[in-house]
Structures are given as structure tokens and as C-alpha cells.
Amino acid sequence: VLMSLFEPLFVWVATGGKHNLNARIISDIPCDTVACYPDKDAFADWSKKIREINKETGKNLMLIDWTERINPNRLPENADIADYYLMN
């Protein structure tokens, strides 16, 4: 909901934690292509999970490294994309 205030043209779905990305959540999304914004410290884990979920669901999940745009020391390790938007 929070990210919808910043980027209203997108449908935002939260996983409820970096370990909760799974095929069930993704299968419920009505789009075939999904951009995924992992927590700052979850990029490597989600990279592997996304490949598995793509195979299982037939979706096209794309992993977005939103941290490329920031100073790595500016946010805590467990920061997410909403933290970035709130700080700017």
C-alpha cells in the first residue's frame, strides 16, 4: 500500500518478509511479468528463488537491484524499497 503512494501506476504486493517469496504468492498475481524488489540483504536469495518460481509458475519474474542507485551505507542492511522512498 505504501509504495502505491509513490508509484501509483504499479500494482505493489508485499511478501511480508524476505523469506516469504514463493510460487503461491506469485501465482495469485494476474500479470505474467512481475518486477521484484527484494530487501537490500535479500538479493542473492531472491535471485535463486525467482529462477525456481519462474519454472514452477510460467511467470516472468525480473529481479530489480534498486540498491544500485543508492549509497550502500545510507540504509540499513534489511532496508526495503519503501525505506528508500521514505528517505528521499
Side-chain angles (χ1 to χ4, degrees):
V1 174
L2 178 62
M3 285 306 299
S4 297
L5 299 173
F6 296 111
E7 297 288 345
L9 297 178
F10 295 100
V11 175
W12 293 91
V13 177
T15 62
K18 66 182 178 183
H19 299 292
N20 295 334
L21 179 67
N22 60 58
R24 184 186 54 75
I25 289 172
I26 298 301
S27 294
D28 291 340
I29 298 172
C31 306
D32 290 331
T33 300
V34 178
C36 299
Y37 293 80
D39 291 353
K40 184 179 170 191
D41 62 347
F43 190 87
D45 291 338
W46 276 32
S47 181
K48 180 181 176 187
K49 280 186 177 184
I50 281 176
R51 286 192 299 273
E52 295 167 1
I53 293 170
N54 280 343
K55 288 179 187 174
E56 188 175 335
T57 64
K59 303 262 187 189
N60 178 29
L61 276 64
M62 299 178 300
L63 189 62
I64 309 298
D65 188 359
W66 59 273
T67 62
E68 291 177 335
R69 298 181 278 193
I70 64 168
N71 176 337
N73 299 322
R74 208 164 157 224
L75 291 172
E77 280 303 307
N78 63 344
D80 62 22
I81 189 73
D83 295 321
Y84 170 74
Y85 272 82
L86 289 169
M87 290 184 75
N88 290 305

